Amino acid sequence: VVPQKLGDTAVEETRLNIPEEGDMAMSINLTDPARVAGFVNPGSEVAIFLTGSDPTTGAPFSSVLLTRVTVIAVGSTTPVTTTTTTIEGQGQEGGQQVVESLPRTLITLSVSQAQMQRVLLAQQQGELSFALLTDDSKVTLAPATTVDNLLQN
């Protein structure tokens, strides 16, 4: 067999289409509820929310992290097993171990460097969730929701 007779080697295209100049691709792994139950697809625009605990006071909060980013790819879904410990008063004795299997999916976003840094740190501080947006959706960077203001308008 003469290699010159076989032709050029096929090159597989693996580049993602990053829509904004200067942006980069980053992937995060989310559960079904955190990714709007599978309705997030490539081309979707999402807001990203962070729910966690204040590192200085331990008080829980929820806040908008990013108001609008574009999803550029959705990977495969894999089940992940998590174990939680129950709290007294949930119809069970406190301290019981509950094992749950939740599907998680890799989502790739188009973000700026500053946005990527915020998402990476936020992943370490709490849980991320997406809100699926339309062209008319309005998302603002507002003060965090805490236990103290949870029931206010």
Side-chain angles (χ1 to χ4, degrees):
V1 175
V2 180
Q4 291 82 359
K5 301 278 185 183
L6 296 176
D8 293 335
T9 305
V11 178
E12 184 177 324
E13 184 65 42
T14 58
R15 295 175 60 90
L16 285 172
N17 181 21
I18 301 173
E20 297 295 323
E21 188 166 330
D23 273 10
M24 55 187 81
M26 76 167 304
S27 295
I28 58 177
N29 206 358
L30 296 175
T31 63
D32 276 354
R35 65 180 185 96
V36 196
F39 289 101
V40 173
N41 294 304
S44 295
E45 291 189 315
V46 296
I48 302 177
F49 289 78
L50 168 63
T51 301
S53 297
D54 184 300
T56 56
T57 65
F61 72 91
S62 185
S63 185
V64 173
L65 182 67
L66 299 175
T67 57
R68 188 176 291 266
V69 295
T70 302
V71 175
I72 56 177
V74 177
S76 60
T77 300
T78 56
V80 175
T81 302
T82 61
T83 303
T84 56
T85 304
T86 61
I87 301 171
E88 186 79 36
Q90 294 179 334
Q92 304 173 12
E93 287 183 34
Q96 292 182 341
Q97 299 278 318
V98 177
V99 178
E100 183 177 29
S101 182
L102 292 174
R104 295 184 73 85
T105 301
L106 204 58
I107 309 285
T108 303
L109 305 169
S110 174
V111 294
S112 68
Q113 177 181 338
Q115 289 172 322
M116 183 167 183
Q117 290 172 192
R118 292 181 71 194
V119 171
L120 290 173
L121 181 58
Q123 284 181 302
Q124 300 298 314
Q125 300 302 311
E127 295 286 326
L128 298 180
S129 296
F130 284 177
L132 185 59
L133 305 177
T134 67
D135 290 340
D136 297 327
S137 296
K138 293 180 181 24
V139 183
T140 60
L141 293 174
T145 300
T146 65
V147 173
D148 293 334
N149 63 18
L150 180 62
L151 300 177
Q152 296 174 0
N153 289 336

